[in-house]
């Protein structure tokens, strides 16, 4: 079981696999040394990035994330407005202060981007090394950032965050999920909620879900106000604020065609992903690169669907958790592993299911909505221009949200019966990702990233 607490993590941009995961891994490395009593003998640190982290880590702020994690920061609590200042201070003095001691660490030299060595287990791999004053190795660990902010030791069999505690309704695939719903009469949202409550108090579960919803809505609102140019060499201008003003003007003149309501949905998604690209506070849903899809569809539900309620929004999140967990368990949500189909595609599938559930669809219709949305993202590559989560990522979130709404609408008009199952689509996504050439999996070596010519 994958919990909502792990699938929906609150953190900072621009990437869950390249920013959130590495920060958590770095924090765990120093925390482990502290617990083992090793920090007192450490004089110098070194970090090596492999695979996709090496190829696109600069554009994804992986080096910044590593510095913050080593300094004791966590994605869910770090102050985005202070993060750059802290990193600059450490870079200037060439040392980290841990337990009152200065440990030599100059990010420009001590974070190595190894683009030659192929990591054995996962394309997002980090190696941490700590040395004493005479250069002898004190501690060394290798971590994998496996997507969505999940991290695991390279020598461990499963990602951190996977729930092994017994829950009342354990399901491994969509067939199990639908069978349980038929046997119990529960909705998918109720099944997930019951599992969550078996792990922690109900008040804590609802508080987390409400915080996730509030953070998503706040990310939209901040993004709608943001101005200027996004970080990075591409100098991409933020568009959400200007688009909002044009849409508001058309609405006030009663000059908005019915289909142009979807422009608001696109705007909501783009606003979140501009915040993400700027290193702001977002929710991994299930990743940062796809962080705008679910908030946009959730805002569509709350603002534009008759009968919308806060309880409906909660059901949306619980249902999306079930679908995201199936993809995480049986395939991947890592762009470096299966391409963007594992990020925007999975987010669209989760959002379609969540919207269908919030609008009162049957469990079969919910599963159908998830299947439709994913089916039409199969094969999508991850080819960020310049290694930045900007082009085509920001607009891809907009289209992922639109597809989710269309999928939920199609499923709602049907009776839930369909030929291709969600489980079959998940298996196809996994196989497609395995067949995909590595250059199309978050390396910026192929696709749009290779064909875009910087002037």
């Amino acid at each position: 079981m994958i919990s909502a607490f792990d699938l929906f993590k609150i953190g900072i941009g621009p990437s869950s696999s390249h920013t959130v995961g590495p920060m958590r891994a770095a924090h765990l490395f120093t925390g482990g040394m502290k617990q083992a009593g090793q920090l007192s003998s450490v004089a110098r640190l070194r970090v090596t990035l492999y695979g996709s982290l090496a190829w696109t880590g600069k554009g994804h702020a992986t080096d910044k994330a590593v510095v913050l994690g080593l300094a004791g920061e966590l994605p869910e609590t770090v102050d985005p407005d202070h993060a750059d200042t802290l990193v600059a201070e450490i870079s200037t003095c060439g040392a980290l202060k841990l337990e009152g001691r200065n440990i030599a660490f100059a990010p420009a030299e001590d974070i190595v981007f190894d683009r030659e060595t192929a990591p054995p287990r996962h394309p997002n791999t980090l190696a941490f090394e700590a040395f004493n004053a005479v250069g002898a190795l004190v501690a060394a660990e290798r971590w994998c950032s496996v997507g969505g902010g999940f991290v695991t030791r390279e020598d461990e069999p499963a990602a951190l965050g996977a729930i092994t505690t017994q829950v009342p309704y354990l399901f491994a695939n969509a067939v199990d999920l639908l069978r349980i719903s038929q046997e119990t009469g529960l909705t998918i949202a109720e099944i997930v909620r019951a599992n969550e409550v078996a792990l922690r108090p109900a008040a804590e579960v609802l508080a987390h879900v409400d915080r996730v919803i509030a953070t998503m809505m706040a990310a939209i609102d901040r993004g709608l106000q943001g101005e200027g140019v996004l970080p990075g060499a591409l100098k991409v201008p933020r568009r959400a604020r200007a688009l909002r003003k044009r849409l508001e003007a058309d609405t006030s003149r009663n000059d908005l065609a019915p289909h142009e309501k979807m422009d608001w949905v696109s705007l909501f998604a783009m606003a979140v992903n501009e915040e993400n690209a700027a290193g702001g506070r977002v929710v991994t849903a299930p990743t940062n690169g796809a962080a705008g899809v679910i908030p946009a569809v959730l805002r569509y539900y709350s603002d534009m669907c008759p009968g919308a309620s806060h309880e409906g929004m909660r059901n949306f999140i619980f249902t999306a958790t079930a679908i995201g967990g199936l993809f995480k368990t049986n395939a991947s949500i890592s762009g470096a592993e299966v391409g963007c189909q594992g990020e925007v595609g999975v987010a669209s599938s989760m959002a379609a299911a969540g919207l269908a559930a919030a609008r009162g669809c049957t469990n079969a219709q919910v599963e159908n909505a998830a299947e439709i949305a994913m089916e039409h993202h199969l094969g999508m590559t991850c080819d960020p221009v310049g290694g930045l989560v900007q082009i085509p990522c920001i607009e891809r979130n907009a289209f992922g949200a639109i597809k989710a709404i269309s999928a939920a609408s199609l499923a709602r008009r049907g009776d839930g019966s369909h030929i291709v199952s969600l489980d079959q689509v998940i298996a196809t996504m996994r196989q497609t990702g395995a067949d995909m050439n590595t250059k199309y999996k978050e390396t910026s070596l192929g696709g749009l990233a290779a064909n875009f010519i910087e002037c």
Side-chain angles (χ1 to χ4, degrees), residues 204-392:
E204 186 179 342
V205 171
L206 294 181
H208 176 72
V209 171
D210 289 346
R211 186 181 174 212
V212 164
I213 292 170
T215 304
M216 287 179 171
M217 297 303 103
I220 291 175
D221 293 336
R222 283 197 312 273
L224 292 177
Q225 299 297 327
E227 294 182 287
V229 175
L230 295 172
L234 296 178
K235 305 299 181 186
V236 174
R238 295 180 70 140
R239 292 183 287 167
R241 182 184 174 96
L243 285 171
R244 174 181 62 83
K245 290 183 176 180
R246 286 196 285 273
L247 281 170
E248 287 175 342
D250 288 345
T251 301
S252 65
R253 291 194 299 267
N254 199 26
D255 190 28
L256 200 65
H259 73 274
E260 289 178 326
K261 279 191 174 183
M262 291 300 99
D263 290 348
W264 280 102
V265 176
S266 296
L267 173 60
F268 297 150
M270 291 171 65
V272 173
N273 280 82
E274 287 181 354
E275 275 296 294
N276 178 62
R281 178 79 65 207
V282 296
V283 179
T284 61
T287 68
N288 281 32
V293 177
I294 288 176
V297 178
L298 196 59
R299 187 70 158 252
Y300 165 80
Y301 166 73
S302 67
D303 289 7
M304 301 180 191
C305 291
S309 65
H310 186 70
E311 192 60 28
M313 297 175 81
R314 286 173 169 174
N315 289 336
F316 186 120
I317 296 298
F318 282 127
T319 304
T321 297
I323 303 304
L326 293 180
F327 279 100
K328 178 74 177 68
T329 301
N330 298 307
S332 175
I333 57 172
S334 169
E337 200 168 24
V338 294
C340 196
Q341 60 175 353
E343 296 200 33
V344 169
V346 173
S348 185
S349 184
M350 292 167 66
L355 179 60
R359 299 209 64 198
C361 287
T362 66
N363 291 325
Q365 289 171 320
V366 168
E367 185 262 357
N368 189 16
E371 179 274 323
I372 293 170
M374 187 65 224
E375 185 177 329
H376 301 291
H377 281 92
L378 289 173
M380 181 179 283
T381 59
C382 185
D383 50 355
V385 173
L388 299 165
V389 193
Q390 297 176 13
I391 300 173

Side-chain angles (χ1 to χ4, degrees), residues 402-419:
I402 299 299
K403 285 184 180 181
I405 292 170
S406 295
S409 182
L410 282 172
R412 190 165 180 258
R413 300 297 180 187
D415 61 5
S417 60
H418 52 110
I419 295 174

Side-chain angles (χ1 to χ4, degrees), residues 50-66:
Y50 300 98
S52 178
L53 294 182
W55 284 105
T56 62
K58 285 286 185 183
H60 287 62
T62 305
D63 46 355
K64 170 184 170 181
V66 165

